[in-house]
Amino acid sequence: MGTRLGELVERFGGQLVGNPNLEVQGIAPLDSADASHISFLSNSKLRALAGQSRAAALIVAPMDDTTVAATYEGTRIVTTNPYAYFARVAQYFAALDETPPAPGVHPSAVVHDSASIDPSAHIGPNVTVEAGAVVKAGAIIDAGCFVGREAEIGEETHLFANVTFHARCRIGKRGILHSGAVIGTDGFGFAKENGVYIKIPQTGRVLLGDDVDVGANTTIDRGALADTIIEDGVKLDNQIQIGHNCHIGANTAMAGCVGVAGSARIGKNCTFGGAAMVLGHLEIADNVHISSGSMVSRSVLEPGQYTGFYPLAKNAEWEKSAAIVRNLSSMREKIRTLEKQIKNLTDNAEQK
Amino acid sequence: MGTRLGELVERFGGQLVGNPNLEVQGIAPLDSADASHISFLSNSKLRALAGQSRAAALIVAPMDDTTVAATYEGTRIVTTNPYAYFARVAQYFAALDETPPAPGVHPSAVVHDSASIDPSAHIGPNVTVEAGAVVKAGAIIDAGCFVGREAEIGEETHLFANVTFHARCRIGKRGILHSGAVIGTDGFGFAKENGVYIKIPQTGRVLLGDDVDVGANTTIDRGALADTIIEDGVKLDNQIQIGHNCHIGANTAMAGCVGVAGSARIGKNCTFGGAAMVLGHLEIADNVHISSGSMVSRSVLEPGQYTGFYPLAKNAEWEKSAAIVRNLSSMREKIRTLEKQIKNLTDNAEQK
Amino acid sequence: MGTRLGELVERFGGQLVGNPNLEVQGIAPLDSADASHISFLSNSKLRALAGQSRAAALIVAPMDDTTVAATYEGTRIVTTNPYAYFARVAQYFAALDETPPAPGVHPSAVVHDSASIDPSAHIGPNVTVEAGAVVKAGAIIDAGCFVGREAEIGEETHLFANVTFHARCRIGKRGILHSGAVIGTDGFGFAKENGVYIKIPQTGRVLLGDDVDVGANTTIDRGALADTIIEDGVKLDNQIQIGHNCHIGANTAMAGCVGVAGSARIGKNCTFGGAAMVLGHLEIADNVHISSGSMVSRSVLEPGQYTGFYPLAKNAEWEKSAAIVRNLSSMREKIRTLEKQIKNLTDNAEQK
């Protein structure tokens, strides 16, 4: 039941130092791995720990290999990015443990006659697929999902249980939508007249690229007239809200509870810490990194790390500081007064 | 397949200047409209753009009409609120594109014998409607929704797929509940005894008025003993949390990710920016506007705009400022000391 | 149809002063109770109101009893924690009003042959239960829920409609999972290589203890390799996000919209106000209380109350203060300059 180290290297590359016929059953962290595991060293600070590992094999970077090899007697796979290698090996072992769901449509699912379901796709129990929807090869739609009219689910994309995917929206290949995610709900658009809101119909779509992950209970609004765009490789964690007409660039990642108001335009390769918030109609350049809990209230046009949250303190200290924050302008006035008084005193002193 | 401009004016009012028999196929923004569209000018700053529009017709305000007419040769509809007019025309065209779901109960839906479903209502696939629930004329309950015991769904109200509407709660006419919304879940109420929480049953309801919209994955708690009240015309965006026993006044609007703790009493015609938070048992007057990302930690009894979030900065600058914020009280002490020293110096100088 | 006061005392303890054969129909607050109700005094400040209550009976603490008895003529139940007593009596009356769902599996539910459903459990309409799952005695799984492979639902635990409970996760006895909650979704774990994210499979579980409540649309991530642990008696409100590999100690409570990033280790008996956020890999001791809207960006190892949010102000005042916050370091520089100038002035004055 084990996997030969030689097979791992054939699949994922790297330089094998040791016995290719040694078999491992799985992957485990340095401190819990035993003789049935391969482990990995992704942080040079843990070299000493790695040197003492009981793992049958180790994934190490070239710069750490000499140090590790001095004390570690097992087999090594030397590769430039051990953490990425770990991810691939972990995927490999996880797939061995999983039984992929059988192709076909569960009898309890309600699939409209005009929907197109690839024979290799899986449609689970209590799913609803509406007219004209397309579910492509290898896609998995778990129990309780809803796929709206003319929506399109790409090859090998997986909708976990209870996802809602609205009419005419599209997702590309190898995407993952986690449970409770809602794609293509109406954006929040109203005209006000005589104190009453009149709904502006939201007729755009959400278009998600390839390799996009959307977390549990995350919501993405469809565009008002144009579309909301999520480019390839974007990773969204749970409980995120993306407003209508947003555009999120490729390989941008957002941690849980982030909110992005409508029409924000966010670049590629950005990261957003948890609960960061972005106001509407802002522009954020490529390679911008926003710290957790920060409110982005203006466009950020230069790459870099940006932060804005109030520091935590013992409650009594917070009460003092917060009271002063409210009156900072009077504090600045006092400083200006002091500056004038000192100038007068200095001038007087010099005259004497 | 087009619609005569004369017909739009008959339906929605306004003064037509030009050819009533001209037909348009839809509505589009100034910069993308062509000869098949009607467009609109809702922002006077865009007058020049409007004057050059390729749209077959324009919706304009009286104060902009002369300027626009100087260069624009198409037909105009002159009306006091072009944005509201746009919303209505957009609704009109969107309705033409939609096929309303057929009346009746889908065979896969589970509807209790004692529930009352109007023959004109639509109950989609995999829906559950419990005992004694009432679904009124023209209501639409999409796939996967749950309607609890003795709940009531008003005329023409639309529950999008996968909404949960709990027992005994009610919503009025023309409401929209978006996917994943949960209405009438238990409030968060416990008594603590010997370090352990004892649940306080939540026996109140949620009562939503007419024309209420609730966003995707928004949650509204039922009252503990009394009811949670959402008045007519309230518009809630996605991922909002409303605690038990809250009362939200008519035509108040909240953007995404807002949280309102229990028993808050919020007035009419308020607005809350995204991710604003309101503590429990507070009172907020009519016509209060809370900026995005603000924590409302005290009652707000005067109308106006209120704000409270930490300004965003480059991370290095934030680190400096945040360190000072933590020590603002020592900074105030230094200023007081300086004031005393200067007074001493001044007094001494005067004595000489 | 009423309940004898004597029966309440037999069930829940306390000292009865008055007529044990008096019957009450329910429990109500002091100001709305009438002769058919029992009421309670949990806040000594309301003694005067209690003395005038029209309730047939009152639950009071020993320290309030003499004052109340001076004017109140009804029957009293004297007990050390009237609020907890109220909670129990309210549960008792709420249970009388409820018809528990019938044991058995609804015909529309899809339950895998290898799942084990206790005959006393209730499986509602349109539920899906996958292979090897276990649903224990007295558990209630409402409409539209999903229970994944080999998941385990403990005795008398209640899943409200549309809960998603993923494969291999477990919850103990008497738990409550509210609608839209997602337990055991994948944690947010990726390795980055050449600018592209590679998913790290999340093979741990979520293990919830006994008496755990999870609010509507709350999400709890499964562990990456190890498990996410929620100990006995934890109470989570709505819209909370708990990251992978978190450990939350017994009887900790979190209000709505809280977010906890991955691998945070939180102690017992803590409380988190609404929208508080906790960064990843932090440690929080037992008995720590975090105020609403606070960002916990460092470990908190001492018990106590901690706070960190920007104070709300009229918008014009906020704009002034926020501008100064951004420049606090220049303000500190000015104070240092003033200190030096005063030192010079003072030194000069002394030399004269």
Side-chain angles (χ1 to χ4, degrees):
Chain A
M1 291 288 291
T3 298
R4 290 175 54 254
L5 293 174
E7 187 178 340
L8 291 179
V9 172
E10 281 159 32
R11 286 173 178 271
F12 306 118
Q15 184 192 349
L16 188 76
V17 185
N19 178 5
N21 291 319
L22 192 65
E23 291 191 356
V24 290
Q25 317 285 333
I27 192 159
L30 286 173
D31 53 357
S32 63
D34 65 28
S36 71
H37 294 117
I38 184 169
S39 189
F40 63 101
L41 173 65
S42 60
N43 178 349
S44 294
K45 290 179 187 165
L46 301 178
R47 279 175 184 170
L49 192 61
Q52 298 159 13
S53 177
R54 295 161 53 232
L58 277 186
I59 305 164
V60 293
M63 66 175 179
D64 294 322
D65 189 48
T66 310
T67 312
V68 168
T71 55
Y72 179 70
E73 297 184 349
T75 297
R76 283 128 46 216
I77 296 176
V78 184
T79 182
T80 50
N81 189 338
Y83 198 56
Y85 204 101
F86 148 66
R88 291 209 173 82
V89 173
Q91 285 180 0
Y92 168 83
F93 282 113
L96 293 185
D97 278 353
E98 270 177 28
T99 317
V105 177
H106 191 276
S108 67
V110 176
V111 176
H112 194 276
D113 288 345
S114 66
S116 160
I117 313 290
D118 188 275
S120 66
H122 166 82
I123 309 288
N126 299 315
V127 165
T128 300
V129 180
E130 294 201 323
V134 175
V135 178
K136 297 197 170 171
I140 299 172
I141 316 285
D142 283 337
C145 286
F146 171 84
V147 178
R149 276 176 304 109
E150 297 167 39
E152 189 175 307
I153 309 295
E155 285 88 348
E156 294 179 49
T157 283
H158 185 175
L159 276 59
F160 278 86
N162 291 329
V163 164
T164 304
F165 197 92
H166 281 290
R168 298 191 291 114
C169 297
R170 293 185 184 184
I171 182 168
K173 301 174 186 174
R174 297 173 303 275
I176 301 178
L177 304 182
H178 286 98
S179 297
V182 178
I183 308 299
T185 188
D186 280 355
F188 198 62
F190 299 92
K192 200 161 192 181
E193 187 180 49
N194 303 326
V196 170
Y197 290 101
I198 303 166
K199 182 175 172 71
I200 296 167
Q202 306 289 304
T203 56
R205 302 167 295 175
V206 180
L207 302 180
L208 305 111
D210 295 336
D211 301 298
V212 170
D213 287 12
V214 177
N217 285 351
T218 283
T219 48
I220 306 180
D221 290 350
R222 63 195 312 124
L225 289 166
D227 298 319
T228 301
I229 308 282
I230 313 289
E231 292 187 355
D232 293 349
V234 168
K235 306 296 181 188
L236 303 179
D237 197 357
N238 300 346
Q239 308 250 18
I240 289 173
Q241 153 66 7
I242 306 292
H244 55 184
N245 298 97
C246 283
H247 187 127
I248 302 184
N251 299 315
T252 280
M254 298 185 178
C257 307
V258 163
V260 182
S263 301
R265 194 176 174 87
I266 295 176
K268 300 179 198 295
N269 305 312
C270 295
T271 60
F272 290 75
M277 294 287 152
V278 182
L279 294 191
H281 296 274
L282 298 186
E283 186 172 346
I284 296 184
D286 295 347
N287 299 303
V288 167
H289 305 285
I290 303 291
S291 300
S292 298
S294 302
M295 163 61 74
V296 182
S297 56
R298 57 182 174 85
S299 288
V300 177
L301 304 177
E302 296 291 319
Q305 179 85 33
Y306 295 80
T307 306
F309 61 81
Y310 197 94
L312 190 78
K314 284 228 161 192
N315 189 62
E317 292 161 27
W318 173 81
E319 286 192 358
K320 275 190 221 164
S321 294
I324 299 173
V325 164
R326 262 195 295 267
N327 292 300
L328 273 175
S329 58
S330 80
M331 200 151 136
R332 189 168 58 181
E333 270 320 297
K334 281 185 190 169
I335 292 176
R336 285 180 182 158
T337 304
L338 288 171
E339 288 176 327
K340 279 184 206 156
Q341 291 175 329
I342 288 177
K343 187 163 188 308
N344 286 344
L345 283 168
T346 312
D347 290 353
N348 287 345
E350 284 170 358
Q351 285 173 0
K352 285 182 192 173
Chain B
M1 290 289 291
T3 299
R4 290 173 53 251
L5 293 175
E7 186 178 339
L8 291 180
V9 173
E10 280 158 33
R11 286 174 176 270
F12 305 118
Q15 185 192 347
L16 187 77
V17 185
N19 177 5
N21 291 320
L22 192 65
E23 291 190 357
V24 289
Q25 317 284 334
I27 192 160
L30 285 172
D31 54 357
S32 63
D34 64 30
S36 69
H37 294 117
I38 184 170
S39 188
F40 62 102
L41 173 65
S42 61
N43 178 350
S44 294
K45 290 178 188 165
L46 302 178
R47 278 176 185 169
L49 192 60
Q52 299 158 12
S53 177
R54 295 162 51 234
L58 275 186
I59 305 164
V60 293
M63 66 175 180
D64 294 321
D65 188 49
T66 311
T67 311
V68 168
T71 55
Y72 178 71
E73 298 184 348
T75 297
R76 284 129 45 218
I77 296 176
V78 184
T79 180
T80 50
N81 189 337
Y83 198 54
Y85 204 100
F86 148 66
R88 292 210 172 82
V89 173
Q91 285 180 0
Y92 168 83
F93 282 113
L96 292 185
D97 277 352
E98 270 177 29
T99 316
V105 177
H106 191 275
S108 67
V110 176
V111 176
H112 195 275
D113 288 346
S114 67
S116 161
I117 313 290
D118 188 276
S120 66
H122 167 83
I123 309 288
N126 299 315
V127 166
T128 300
V129 181
E130 294 202 324
V134 175
V135 178
K136 297 196 169 172
I140 298 171
I141 315 285
D142 283 338
C145 286
F146 171 82
V147 179
R149 277 176 303 110
E150 296 167 38
E152 190 175 308
I153 309 296
E155 285 88 348
E156 295 179 47
T157 283
H158 185 176
L159 277 59
F160 279 87
N162 291 329
V163 165
T164 305
F165 197 91
H166 281 291
R168 298 190 293 114
C169 296
R170 292 185 185 185
I171 182 167
K173 301 174 185 173
R174 296 174 302 276
I176 300 176
L177 303 182
H178 286 98
S179 296
V182 178
I183 308 299
T185 188
D186 280 356
F188 197 61
F190 299 91
K192 200 161 192 181
E193 189 181 46
N194 303 327
V196 170
Y197 290 101
I198 304 166
K199 181 176 173 71
I200 296 168
Q202 306 289 305
T203 56
R205 302 168 294 176
V206 180
L207 303 180
L208 306 111
D210 296 335
D211 301 298
V212 170
D213 287 12
V214 176
N217 284 352
T218 283
T219 48
I220 306 180
D221 289 351
R222 60 194 314 123
L225 289 165
D227 298 319
T228 301
I229 308 283
I230 312 290
E231 293 187 355
D232 293 350
V234 168
K235 306 296 181 189
L236 303 179
D237 197 357
N238 299 347
Q239 308 248 22
I240 289 173
Q241 153 66 9
I242 306 291
H244 56 182
N245 298 96
C246 283
H247 187 127
I248 303 185
N251 299 315
T252 281
M254 297 185 178
C257 306
V258 163
V260 182
S263 301
R265 193 176 174 88
I266 296 176
K268 300 178 198 294
N269 304 312
C270 295
T271 59
F272 290 75
M277 294 287 153
V278 181
L279 293 191
H281 297 273
L282 298 185
E283 186 172 346
I284 296 184
D286 296 347
N287 299 303
V288 167
H289 305 284
I290 303 291
S291 301
S292 298
S294 302
M295 163 61 73
V296 182
S297 57
R298 57 181 173 85
S299 288
V300 177
L301 304 176
E302 296 291 319
Q305 178 87 31
Y306 295 80
T307 305
F309 61 80
Y310 198 95
L312 190 79
K314 283 228 164 194
N315 188 63
E317 292 161 25
W318 173 81
E319 285 191 0
K320 276 190 220 164
S321 294
I324 299 173
V325 165
R326 263 196 296 267
N327 293 301
L328 273 175
S329 57
S330 79
M331 199 151 137
R332 189 169 58 181
E333 270 320 297
K334 281 184 188 169
I335 292 177
R336 284 181 183 158
T337 304
L338 289 171
E339 287 175 326
K340 278 183 208 160
Q341 291 175 328
I342 288 178
K343 187 164 188 306
N344 287 342
L345 284 169
T346 311
D347 290 353
N348 287 343
E350 284 171 358
Q351 285 173 358
K352 285 178 191 173
Chain C
M1 292 288 291
T3 297
R4 290 174 54 251
L5 293 175
E7 186 179 338
L8 291 179
V9 173
E10 280 158 33
R11 286 175 178 270
F12 305 119
Q15 185 192 347
L16 187 76
V17 186
N19 177 6
N21 291 319
L22 192 66
E23 291 190 357
V24 289
Q25 316 285 334
I27 193 159
L30 285 172
D31 53 356
S32 64
D34 64 30
S36 70
H37 293 117
I38 184 169
S39 189
F40 62 102
L41 173 64
S42 60
N43 178 348
S44 294
K45 290 180 188 163
L46 302 177
R47 279 176 185 169
L49 192 60
Q52 299 159 13
S53 176
R54 295 163 52 232
L58 276 186
I59 305 165
V60 293
M63 67 174 179
D64 294 321
D65 189 48
T66 311
T67 311
V68 168
T71 55
Y72 177 70
E73 298 183 349
T75 297
R76 284 129 44 216
I77 296 176
V78 184
T79 181
T80 49
N81 189 338
Y83 198 56
Y85 204 101
F86 149 66
R88 292 209 172 84
V89 172
Q91 285 180 0
Y92 168 83
F93 282 114
L96 292 185
D97 278 353
E98 270 178 28
T99 316
V105 176
H106 191 277
S108 67
V110 176
V111 177
H112 194 275
D113 288 345
S114 66
S116 161
I117 313 290
D118 188 276
S120 67
H122 167 83
I123 310 289
N126 298 316
V127 166
T128 300
V129 181
E130 293 202 325
V134 176
V135 178
K136 296 197 170 171
I140 298 172
I141 315 286
D142 283 338
C145 286
F146 171 83
V147 178
R149 278 175 303 108
E150 296 167 41
E152 189 176 307
I153 309 295
E155 286 87 348
E156 296 179 45
T157 283
H158 186 175
L159 277 58
F160 279 86
N162 290 330
V163 164
T164 304
F165 197 92
H166 281 290
R168 298 189 293 114
C169 296
R170 292 185 185 185
I171 182 167
K173 302 173 185 174
R174 296 173 302 275
I176 301 177
L177 304 182
H178 286 98
S179 297
V182 178
I183 309 299
T185 188
D186 279 356
F188 198 62
F190 299 91
K192 200 160 190 180
E193 189 181 48
N194 302 328
V196 170
Y197 290 102
I198 304 166
K199 182 176 173 69
I200 295 168
Q202 306 288 303
T203 56
R205 302 167 295 176
V206 181
L207 302 180
L208 306 109
D210 295 335
D211 302 298
V212 170
D213 287 12
V214 176
N217 284 351
T218 283
T219 48
I220 306 180
D221 289 351
R222 63 193 315 122
L225 289 166
D227 298 318
T228 301
I229 308 283
I230 313 289
E231 293 187 354
D232 294 349
V234 167
K235 306 296 180 187
L236 303 179
D237 197 359
N238 300 346
Q239 308 250 20
I240 289 173
Q241 153 67 6
I242 307 291
H244 56 183
N245 297 96
C246 283
H247 187 127
I248 302 185
N251 299 314
T252 280
M254 298 184 177
C257 306
V258 163
V260 182
S263 300
R265 194 177 173 86
I266 296 176
K268 300 179 197 294
N269 305 311
C270 296
T271 59
F272 290 75
M277 293 286 154
V278 181
L279 294 191
H281 296 273
L282 298 185
E283 186 173 346
I284 296 184
D286 296 346
N287 300 303
V288 166
H289 305 285
I290 303 292
S291 300
S292 299
S294 302
M295 163 61 73
V296 182
S297 56
R298 56 181 175 86
S299 288
V300 177
L301 303 176
E302 295 290 320
Q305 179 86 33
Y306 295 81
T307 306
F309 61 80
Y310 198 93
L312 190 78
K314 283 227 163 195
N315 188 62
E317 292 161 27
W318 173 81
E319 285 191 358
K320 276 190 219 164
S321 295
I324 298 173
V325 165
R326 261 195 297 267
N327 292 301
L328 273 175
S329 58
S330 81
M331 200 151 136
R332 188 168 60 181
E333 270 321 298
K334 282 185 188 169
I335 292 176
R336 284 180 182 158
T337 305
L338 289 172
E339 287 175 327
K340 279 184 205 157
Q341 291 174 328
I342 289 178
K343 187 162 187 310
N344 287 343
L345 283 169
T346 310
D347 290 352
N348 287 344
E350 284 171 0
Q351 286 172 357
K352 284 178 192 171

